[in-house]
Amino acid sequence: MLVRDMGMDGIRSFLLFVLLLLLRACFTISADDTLSKGQSLSAMKTDSISSNGGQFELGFFERGTPPKFYLGIWVKRLVGQRTVWVANRENHLSDPYTSRLEFSEDGNLVLLEASSKKPFWSTSLPNLPSNSTEAALLDNGNLVLRDRSDPSTLFWESFDYPTDTWLPGGALGIDKTGKVPKQLISWKNSEDPSPGLFSLSLRIDPNGSSEYILEWNRSQVYWSSGVWDGKAFSLVPEMSLNYIYNFSFVSNENETYFTYSLYNASIMSIFLVSSTGQIQQLAWVSSVQSVQPWSVFWARPNSLSDVYALCGQFGIYQGNTSQPCDCPKGFEPFSDNQTRLNDWSGGCLRRQPLQCENRNAKNDWFQKIPNITLPISWKAYSAMSVRRCKLVCMNNCSCTAYTHNSSGCLIWEGALLNMQRPSDGGKVGQDIYFRLAADEHQISTKGTKWKVWVIVAVLVASTGLILCLSVCFSIKRKFKHKGEMATSSNDLMLFDLSTETHAINVGTNIQDNDKKRGKKDVELPLFSYESVLAATDNFSTANKLGEGGFGPVYKGKLLKGKEIAVKMLSKRSGQGLEEFRNETTLIAKLQHRNLVKLLGCCIEGDEKILIYEYMPNKSLDFYLFDLAKKKMLDWGTRIHIIEGIAQGLLYLHRYSRLRIIHRDMKPSNILLDSEMNPRISDFGMARIVGDNEIQANTNRIVGTFGYMSPEYAMEGLYSIKSDVFSFGVLLLEIVSGKKNTGFYNHGSLNLLRYAWELWRDGQSLELMDSSIGYPSSTSILVRYINIGLLCVQESPDDRPTMLDVVSMMSNEYAPLPTSKQPAFTAGRKLMHTNPTVNSVENCSINSVTVSVMEA
Ligand SMILES: *[C@@H]1O[C@H](CO)[C@@H](O)[C@H](O)[C@H]1NC(C)=O
Ligand SMILES: *[C@@H]1O[C@H](CO)[C@@H](O)[C@H](O)[C@H]1NC(C)=O
Ligand SMILES: *[C@@H]1O[C@H](CO)[C@@H](O)[C@H](O)[C@H]1NC(C)=O
Ligand SMILES: *[C@@H]1O[C@H](CO)[C@@H](O)[C@H](O)[C@H]1NC(C)=O
Ligand SMILES: *[C@@H]1O[C@H](CO)[C@@H](O)[C@H](O)[C@H]1NC(C)=O
Ligand SMILES: *[C@@H]1O[C@H](CO)[C@@H](O)[C@H](O)[C@H]1NC(C)=O
Ligand SMILES: *[C@@H]1O[C@H](CO)[C@@H](O)[C@H](O)[C@H]1NC(C)=O
Ligand SMILES: *[C@@H]1O[C@H](CO)[C@@H](O)[C@H](O)[C@H]1NC(C)=O
Ligand SMILES: *[C@@H]1O[C@H](CO)[C@@H](O)[C@H](O)[C@H]1NC(C)=O
Ligand SMILES: *[C@@H]1O[C@H](CO)[C@@H](O)[C@H](O)[C@H]1NC(C)=O
Ligand SMILES: *[C@@H]1O[C@H](CO)[C@@H](O)[C@H](O)[C@H]1NC(C)=O
């Protein structure tokens, strides 16, 4: 019924309005089914027109909170009213008081709000006979724009622009004349008719067969109807029970489409693409006046688990329960309002953004999500160890997850789609590790309100505690300053000579700390000599771990049980106290998982002592060159060690603000922690012992022969490329299990030459340490040997940087440059220019070997 302007008499028109509303609601009064020029439908008055038979109605409806208004056609029912077409699905109205549908001057239908000039929707046809157009809602639910004088001439019909519903008599197919294809696009959710991610359209093969496909985001096909055999689609056998629908295929020079009709026209039936990505056939079951008057005849895909990316990015499908999707730990739904309506198109978002690009932040970590089906589009790496798999993912900021099983390693980049808990049969799950921000460790997984309160409570409590502690400390300190200065011999509490700070927080934010160096700076803990004595049992020989390049190293134990390594520096370095403290503080700020951590220092008279964390598994040379123990380093571990060293060196060279050149990379300086992770030790020693420059009068070159680059050994020139050389030697030693020096084989005088000759002859595999058998995949190792050879080239300019090395290691398929002949002729000249070389610790044997080399 068309409700026209009722005149100005307030009460009368109001009563009439109410009466009309009542009538409209209670009876299906067959009203005008047309709208002509001069007439309009107003949203405020809930005007509408109905089809002749009273099945369909065109008017305004509202959805969502806050309400949004749309013009649409619905199946007119007291219960189970169902919208089948929306005019302005992308362009909702928000002001119902001034919104109306009317004819424009040129005869087009337009949807307007008084406040805005631009129509929200329009039929926008050119060349209409402007005075004689009218709109009519036909009995099959088709809204048409036609010529009043000749109703069979249709200028426009809503069947050409279906939304998510296909009505009998409508067509679904493609147009060969360049008009938009007739396809169905789902609603976002039951409260939002704007275009969702799922669509149904016709696809025609080159050989002429046609089928319907369901697509996700107009790009990813996840269901197909199978080809049309003249009666039904092959994968929808329900259709061959053909007593309800009469499908027919039409193809002419203008278009190709399917249409259907009902054998019994009194049955009400519709096809639609649901917002959960299924195509459904619904029928109105009039005999059942129940809550669910529409019954689903069939749906495809049968199960929601086959809908592509139903749960969005990072969402996990957990069965077709009332809440089909869920977010993994550390993630939360994109929008609670949407997920309440089972709209997971936004997926899940990280609660804490990743800090991967931020060099100063804590490392991301990996959360295990157990037993889920694998997300789509992975990169596979066969024969890769768990550790390496994790490392490859950790080192690439675009990697979001990895998984590992006996057949190899899979890595994902970007958003993860299509994960499921394998509840309904057939599918198998695996444990997948998701990259999360470090902060996620601390955050509880409960609801947000609760979480906020807990965080507030924790903050309040901890500030209180810190305040209290600091008051206690400063009182205690005052006592100390006044009274007994020395701590008791078994009190291992650290104390700090010059500053007010107590938090020992080195390395968290290097740049900030550096900026405000001075009184307020965070200092390196200073241990009392007494406490060091107590920890090492008075430097007892039983506790001696060995003699390093700069002095003896002892094992120690703090009162709380923490084990430490205590390194006594030989007394000859000429650095002052303040300088020494500054340097150690700087070095302590270098923190990386492949560096040994400097915990503190101790100064007593001439004695300078460094305190490191203790590494239970000794050093690499302990295993690598021992016939019995080398078997403990399997290929996975060796690869892991090589990569760890590369990462540690890269950090020293590039990312630490100090740009440390190690100058003494060798297996005994690679310590191994309890999980056999490599940790570089003795870095920054040049700074600590005051050997920043090459000093002519010290007669000392820091370094160990066999690992020193030729330019450093001969001319004392060092650069980051000297460390790259040492790294190359180390790499080849780790792969071959043989020392560079003291190596005689097949006429080659040292390992570098031997490796290079093998590689040149394409026999690199010969180099591999045969005592632990061959790895399942040799390609990585061959690649590493190539990288090692690139590092030991004679000219520093030819050698790659550590950044190059790390990227060559992680991009397994990138081609490598060809290596030049390595530097293995450095020995003799070296002995000439540095006659005092024997004073360098730990290398006298090596240096002899070097001198023999060229004989
Ligand atoms: C069509 O409309 C114009 C004004 O827009 C009017 O002048 C003309 O007489 C109308 N013609 C008919 C056939 O109604
Ligand atoms: C050609 O059509 C047949 C069905 O008639 C179908 O099975 C086949 O996949 C189609 N081939 C191509 C290349 O589209
Ligand atoms: C859908 O595809 C478009 C590009 O075609 C892309 O920009 C958009 O992010 C995709 N949507 C989702 C949810 O992936
Ligand atoms: C099925 O539909 C086609 C085209 O709409 C029509 O020609 C045919 O008569 C219909 N068949 C029956 C049995 O109604
Ligand atoms: C195809 O389109 C042209 C131009 O619109 C029309 O003349 C012709 O009748 C159409 N053919 C069919 C089969 O509908
Ligand atoms: C059509 O369906 C209605 C209601 O389901 C039924 O009463 C009627 O008998 C059917 N007509 C035919 C021809 O089957
Ligand atoms: C789950 O899906 C199956 C297959 O579509 C259906 O039969 C069943 O009713 C669904 N269960 C629920 C709880 O929706
Ligand atoms: C979510 O819904 C509530 C009411 O249900 C509404 O107040 C709020 O604005 C909505 N939030 C968004 C982002 O739409
Ligand atoms: C990380 O992965 C992306 C995508 O595969 C690749 O382009 C990039 O080179 C990788 N970065 C590194 C450092 O390997
Ligand atoms: C390992 O994962 C791959 C990738 O999905 C799978 O094909 C293979 O069956 C899995 N192997 C085992 C032993 O689980
Ligand atoms: C994964 O979950 C499925 C279904 O709950 C279960 O049958 C299967 O045993 C689980 N697999 C593992 C490895 O836990």
Side-chain angles (χ1 to χ4, degrees), residues 170-174 176 202 204 210 212 228 247-260:
L172 214 55
I174 51 181
K176 295 169 185 165
L202 185 66
I204 298 184
S210 34
Y212 281 110
W228 174 251
F247 271 89
S248 46
F249 177 60
V250 178
S251 184
N252 59 35
E253 79 257 33
N254 294 342
E255 46 187 355
T256 301
Y257 60 86
F258 282 90
T259 183
Y260 75 105

Side-chain angles (χ1 to χ4, degrees), residues 204-211 227-229:
I204 298 184
D205 276 344
N207 68 0
S209 60
S210 34
E211 59 182 341
V227 292
W228 174 251
D229 66 1

Side-chain angles (χ1 to χ4, degrees), residues 507-540:
T508 46
N509 200 333
I510 291 170
Q511 266 145 7
D512 279 358
N513 287 346
D514 277 7
K515 257 183 235 148
K516 38 179 196 195
R517 277 192 67 70
K519 270 273 136 71
K520 282 192 131 185
D521 192 11
V522 179
E523 294 275 0
L524 180 71
L526 195 59
F527 286 68
S528 67
Y529 192 64
E530 287 85 348
S531 63
V532 177
L533 277 179
T536 57
D537 199 7
N538 293 333
F539 297 111
S540 74

Side-chain angles (χ1 to χ4, degrees), residues 144-168:
V144 299
L145 191 63
R146 64 187 181 193
D147 198 332
R148 194 186 310 153
S149 49
D150 173 19
S152 64
T153 316
L154 302 184
F155 305 120
W156 180 93
E157 51 186 321
S158 65
F159 273 10
D160 282 346
Y161 304 91
T163 52
D164 69 333
T165 305
W166 186 17
L167 290 171

Side-chain angles (χ1 to χ4, degrees), residues 278 299 301-305 317 319-322 424:
Q278 282 176 311
N302 242 338
S303 160
L304 285 182
S305 67
Y317 177 76
N320 63 346
T321 49
S322 56
D424 38 357

